[in-house]
Structure formats: C-alpha cells, structure tokens
Amino acid sequence: MQLLLDTSVLIDALRLRHGRRELLAELVQAGHTLATTALNVAEVYAGMLPNEARRTEALLGVLDCYDLTGSSGRQSGSAQTTMEQERPHAGAGRHDSCRHCVRA
C-alpha cells in the first residue's frame, strides 16, 4: 500500500519526535511505499531549521512526490475522513500515530 504522509509526520520524522522515524521504517519494512505532495514539501522547507538541511534532503529524496490538483486534494481528504471513520479511536496505540498518513 502506498501511504501519503502529511507535513506533521515529515516534521516529526525530521526532528526525531514521537517515534515517527521508527514507525516509517517499520512501514517500509512491511512493504508499504511512502509518498508526500509538493505542498507538504513546500511546508517542510518553509519551516526547516538550518541544521536540518541534510536530513531533510535525505528524507524527501526517498519519497514519491505528487503534484496536487483539486481532484487529488478531494480524494486525499475523502480518504482521510474514511480512515478516521473506520478507526474512531486513532491515537490510542503506536501505529495510530500514523493517522496523518493517507492511503494513496
């Protein structure tokens, strides 16, 4: 499955918070593909700290990156809503910390 990561997941992984880096590694090891959008890349660069440049390049360099259109934005938002409805108690466990990932 391909997972579309939002800005908060990317920033957490870059800043080594909430075990996101480890979770993303587990997802890749389980066979998932990680991706993001051009908008998320722009947001990460807008908030990037000077000492994060190398780590940012390394992380974003391994992700598929999608352009965003109105149609893809609607699809992503709908998928997020569906996932949240299917898992109403998101946030309760370790893998729920990826609730900001959307199936692409």
Side-chain angles (χ1 to χ4, degrees), residues 11 30 42-43 51 57-60 67 71-72 75-76 82 86 90 104:
I11 291 171
E43 290 176 338
N51 65 337
E57 287 294 323
L59 175 61
L60 296 179
D67 291 331
S71 175
S72 62
Q75 288 176 327
S76 178
T82 300
E86 290 173 357

Side-chain angles (χ1 to χ4, degrees), residues 4 37 66-83 101-104:
L4 190 63
T37 69
Y66 292 98
D67 291 331
L68 236 137
T69 64
S71 175
S72 62
R74 284 188 295 278
Q75 288 176 327
S76 178
S78 293
Q80 179 74 29
T81 299
T82 300
M83 285 181 65
C101 303
V102 176
R103 291 173 275 191

Side-chain angles (χ1 to χ4, degrees), residues 10-100:
L10 298 173
I11 291 171
D12 284 350
L14 289 168
R15 295 189 178 158
L16 308 175
R17 295 190 292 209
H18 309 294
R20 299 286 179 140
R21 185 174 279 250
E22 294 81 8
L23 175 60
L24 295 179
E26 289 174 22
L27 291 169
V28 169
Q29 288 175 347
H32 300 287
T33 303
L34 305 179
T36 194
T37 69
L39 177 62
N40 299 120
V41 171
E43 290 176 338
V44 167
Y45 274 98
M48 183 174 67
L49 301 174
N51 65 337
E52 294 175 336
R54 185 172 293 163
R55 200 175 330 164
T56 299
E57 287 294 323
L59 175 61
L60 296 179
V62 298
L63 300 177
D64 291 335
C65 184
Y66 292 98
D67 291 331
L68 236 137
T69 64
S71 175
S72 62
R74 284 188 295 278
Q75 288 176 327
S76 178
S78 293
Q80 179 74 29
T81 299
T82 300
M83 285 181 65
E84 289 174 2
Q85 289 171 349
E86 290 173 357
R87 298 173 44 174
H89 301 293
R94 175 163 164 66
H95 290 285
D96 289 328
S97 67
C98 197
R99 63 190 166 95
H100 294 285

